[in-house]
Amino acid sequence: MKHLQIDLSGATGSIPSDYFGRLQEIAKQSIDKLHEGKGAGNSFLGWLRLPSSVVEGELEEIETVAATLREQCEIVIVIGIGGSYLGARAVIEAISNSFDCMLAERKHPQIIYAGHNISEDYLLELVEFLKDKAFGLINISKSGTTTEPAIAFRILKKLLEEQAGKAVARNRIVAITDARRGALRNLADYEDYKSFVIPDNVGGRFSVLTPVGLLPIALAGVNIHELMNGARYMEKKSGRTVSLAENLAAQYAIARNYLYASGHKIEILANFHPKLHYLAEWWKQLYGESEGKENKGIFPAAVDLTTDLHSMGQWIQEGERSIFETVISVSAPNKRIAIPKDKDDFDGLNYLAGKRVDAVNKMAQLGTKLAHIDGGVPVIEISIPELTPYYVGELIYFFQKACGISGYMLGVNPFDQPGVEAYKKNMFALLNKPGFEAESEAIKARLQ
Ligand code: PA5
């Protein structure tokens, strides 16, 4: 069976061997710190052994709840923000049909996301869309107090109760939150909602392999057993006793830190498949929130190719040389379509007649890689054999493990996010939230 591969030849070819040896040493120390739980943020290391520690019974319970929602709902709104929604969306979009929401023969409810913004238009349009529809809600928040999902849930819960009645609504709401603390836990217990627990030792951006990701993913008809199997494989293959030569996550972490130290401050995650757009969004959060602190950290950006070659391609090719690129390559597409021959050939495409579209995509990918390397952009290539739940599971664990190693190599705590509180404090002060009186006074004085 084939597995995820990494090709660093376009990125680290010139790395001096003594420097490389030093980076390897730091990587080893980082892996030890992770596995011994001796580094910063060590109370959030539950994700390390999640794939192997989750038992089939837990997955079956998730599938049972997904089946109940499927029976009752034509639409399910997944409410959450950041780590409480990006992982689910990344996997669902990577695996689902691109036109899933328009397919008449869909076997699962349509999934819509909410609570990841505070747009009044978005919420009102959603409320209007849901009128007279049988819908359910999966409300996800570890803290249970995040403003964006709390507002969305309050509005949608009211709508659901008005449309279906309180008893039916209760059966169509699932809460995923902390075991004991937080407003959502209290509400779930009070209303007697079906609920799942987000383990204490798993932070939001590392939670896709908990019910946070698994329930919406199962609901969308994706095989969560296969997803976990792929993640389990990668857990084993990046374990503590695996040599650095075999440990692909460590190699990626070393390459990133080398490139960062040599002035490449921006990493662009590139894909050649629109289904991977949200995987890149998930990756941006994972690396951005984990590493961007203490005035350090690679800025994680993303492009969808070839789409963005017609916009950002110019910048990547000839802009400031502070970037490197990490390409996610999918070796074989799941579907086949060839370019037809045309008798008039007005578009001059007959030279491609009979070729599969993916063959053209692959040449675009290779041509882009060579052009970017020639333009002074180091290119890392991560390949998976196919877009299946198994390989997406490998990819998820690979990126998580590399993130933990890379963050420790950089010398930061990859498992906290103190910076995300700053906007909240100002917003609460501006909204006169109880408990923020002093901040309210201060911000009003500042704005006068
Ligand atoms: O990674 C994180 O910790 C954050 O992105 C959180 O997931 C996000 O802020 C949502 O938090 P919560 O799940 O507490 O609502």
Side-chain angles (χ1 to χ4, degrees), residues 187-209:
L187 182 68
D189 290 347
Y190 176 77
E191 296 277 12
D192 200 19
Y193 295 147
K194 172 69 194 162
S195 71
F196 288 96
V197 167
I198 308 175
D200 277 348
N201 59 359
V202 180
R205 60 190 173 275
F206 287 86
S207 68
V208 55
L209 301 177

Side-chain angles (χ1 to χ4, degrees), residues 12 30 35 47 56 62-63 68-69 101 114 117 184 201 207 209 233 292 295 309 317 349 359 369 398 416 419 423:
T12 54
S30 301
H35 284 269
W47 59 273
E56 286 300 296
I62 287 170
E63 287 180 320
T68 310
L69 283 173
C101 64
N117 59 54
L184 181 54
N201 59 359
S207 68
L209 301 177
Y233 173 83
N295 298 328
L309 288 174
Q317 191 66 43
L349 275 184
K369 179 177 179 177
F398 164 84
D416 67 359
Y423 97 90

